[in-house]
Amino acid sequence: MFQAKPITFQLESSQVAFAASYLQGITFNHYTALLQFDLSNSILSNWLAFTWEFSSKFGVFDTVVEEAYKTEWNYNAFHFTLHHALPQWIKDTLCLAPKQTTYERYKALGIQVDQHYWEDQSENMAPWTL
């Protein structure tokens, strides 16, 4: 998002404010407490400090998002690239399965599909003859 609108999100404080607008519940309460009682805290103006504070205190909701964060990709770009890097036989099966909500589940299902594919391939191969 920030790269799509570099002028709008040129300042890290703008990035923090945008991300904070999506906070809910206890994370929102924590953010508003910082605004009320610690306005000079770098968490409110520094993107890395903000993400570190909230991910270390509250965790990351989705492991795909976490992997995207580690690689500095946004969620959609990470998921798109991951999906398109898969062999077609895995994609054909994944489109029939329920949507996986975490990176770990997506990865496990992809590995399982790949293993079944190769097991099937080895069973269908004709034995070597001399």
Side-chain angles (χ1 to χ4, degrees):
M1 179 67 185
F2 302 143
Q3 293 173 351
K5 296 188 173 205
I7 294 172
T8 303
F9 297 110
Q10 185 174 9
L11 299 174
E12 289 188 39
S13 58
S14 299
Q15 297 171 5
V16 169
F18 176 78
S21 70
Y22 286 92
L23 297 177
Q24 297 177 353
I26 194 167
T27 57
F28 178 76
N29 294 342
H30 181 67
Y31 180 75
T32 55
L34 289 171
L35 285 174
Q36 291 174 344
F37 303 111
D38 196 6
L39 199 54
S40 63
N41 194 317
S42 66
I43 293 165
L44 301 172
S45 60
N46 180 288
W47 177 248
L48 287 177
F50 174 82
T51 56
W52 176 256
E53 171 78 6
F54 282 84
S55 64
S56 65
K57 283 195 184 327
F58 305 105
V60 178
F61 178 72
D62 188 336
T63 55
V64 174
V65 173
E66 183 176 14
E67 291 300 315
Y69 174 76
K70 286 179 187 175
T71 60
E72 297 182 0
W73 288 45
N74 70 42
Y75 171 81
N76 291 332
F78 181 74
H79 190 268
F80 176 85
T81 303
L82 177 64
H83 182 76
H84 286 281
L86 295 172
Q88 190 61 47
W89 65 84
I90 295 176
K91 290 190 274 190
D92 291 344
T93 305
L94 288 178
C95 73
L96 301 173
K99 183 178 179 191
Q100 303 303 303
T101 56
T102 67
Y103 171 72
E104 291 303 321
R105 289 181 182 170
Y106 189 80
K107 181 173 78 171
L109 182 58
I111 290 170
Q112 184 179 15
V113 169
D114 189 51
Q115 287 173 341
H116 285 290
Y117 173 83
W118 288 111
E119 287 170 5
D120 188 52
Q121 291 297 309
S122 67
E123 290 171 4
N124 290 332
M125 293 180 73
W128 291 95
T129 57
L130 295 174

